[in-house]
């Protein structure tokens, strides 16, 4: 089969053909619309999410300030995880708010630290203790992940809507074929008998 014949078979719904029904042409337009919306919607939804998430991470980083806090109590070494970097426990710390007032709160700190040791904590403009903001690399990875998820969600919704419309079109075609068979079928039965 040459390329021209292959293209003709691929796009048969678009060509004039006495066997082509109106529903075939409608289905061809639906498929074209679904794939166009899939590509454009998936890409634009994903990119919009990436930009929005990146802006949110930048704003979050800008709102927080690092402050040196002091441990109020010793943080013992955890015997089960001795020697691991991820070994952190909640501990009470004391720091100074932007207005100069003393504050205390709990945050995760590395184990094996003595009372009075300085640790870096993050506070907002009101002096409330917050978790550390994501680094630019972590923020970029999270934004990309969210963008991919959003793009996939848009693709799934568009494909589901397209499948539902095509399913409805198939049911309509089957009903039409059933009505036509009720008209033509009895005539065939008499000839065969």
């Amino acid at each position: 089969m040459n390329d021209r014949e292959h293209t003709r078979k691929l796009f048969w719904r678009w060509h004039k053909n006495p066997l082509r029904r109106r529903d075939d042409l409608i289905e061809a337009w639906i498929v074209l619309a679904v794939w166009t919306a899939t590509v454009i919607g998936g890409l634009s939804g994903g990119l919009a999410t990436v930009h929005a998430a990146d802006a949110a991470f930048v704003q979050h980083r800008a709102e927080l300030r690092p402050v040196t806090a002091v441990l109020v109590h010793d943080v013992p070494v955890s015997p089960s995880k001795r020697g691991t970097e991820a070994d952190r426990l909640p501990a009470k710390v004391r720091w100074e708010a932007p207005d100069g007032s003393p504050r205390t709160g709990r945050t995760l700190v590395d184990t094996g630290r003595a009372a009075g040791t300085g640790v870096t904590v993050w506070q907002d403009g009101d002096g409330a203790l917050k978790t550390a903001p994501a680094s630019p690399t972590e923020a970029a990875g999270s934004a990309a992940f969210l963008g991919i998820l959003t793009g996939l969600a848009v693709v799934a919704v568009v494909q589901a809507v397209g499948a539902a419309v095509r399913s409805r079109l198939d049911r309509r075609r089957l009903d039409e074929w059933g009505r036509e068979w009720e008209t033509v079928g009895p005539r065939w039965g008499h000839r065969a008998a």
Side-chain angles (χ1 to χ4, degrees):
M1 179 181 340
N2 63 30
D3 290 340
R4 185 177 176 172
E5 288 176 11
H6 179 69
T7 304
R8 191 174 200 149
K9 281 187 173 187
L10 187 63
F11 297 108
W12 71 270
R13 287 183 173 101
W14 299 98
H15 297 290
K16 289 276 188 195
N17 182 335
L19 297 177
R20 184 187 74 188
R21 297 172 304 268
R22 186 174 141 258
D23 288 350
D24 294 331
L25 189 58
I26 291 170
E27 184 177 24
W29 281 106
I30 289 170
V31 168
L32 180 65
V34 164
W35 280 105
T36 302
T38 295
V39 171
I40 293 172
L43 284 175
S44 61
L47 289 174
T49 301
V50 166
H51 291 303
D54 193 41
F57 285 125
V58 167
Q59 180 181 356
H60 183 67
R61 262 195 311 276
E63 291 173 351
L64 300 180
R65 300 282 179 255
V67 175
T68 301
V70 177
L71 283 171
V72 176
H73 303 288
D74 290 342
V75 182
V77 175
S78 175
S80 62
K81 298 180 182 177
R82 190 177 304 254
T84 64
E85 289 182 22
D87 194 17
R88 297 170 61 98
L89 292 173
K92 190 173 185 178
V93 294
R94 184 176 51 246
W95 74 99
E96 195 173 286
D99 63 2
S101 62
R103 301 278 177 102
T104 59
R106 295 184 72 76
T107 188
L108 289 174
V109 296
D110 294 332
T111 60
R113 300 225 176 180
T117 304
V119 293
T120 301
V121 296
W122 293 83
Q123 67 177 349
D124 62 11
D126 297 328
L129 201 59
K130 300 292 180 181
T131 58
S135 70
T137 304
E138 292 169 340
S142 296
F145 180 71
L146 292 171
I148 289 169
L149 284 182
T150 302
L152 290 175
V154 169
V155 166
V157 168
V158 169
Q159 289 292 325
V161 168
V165 171
R166 288 181 69 195
S167 173
R168 175 71 181 126
L169 191 61
D170 285 342
R171 275 183 289 189
R172 190 171 92 176
R173 260 188 284 212
L174 286 173
D175 291 343
E176 186 178 317
W177 288 340
R179 284 190 300 275
E180 289 175 9
W181 183 250
E182 286 175 2
T183 305
V184 175
R187 285 188 266 163
W188 279 20
H190 293 299
R191 286 187 185 165

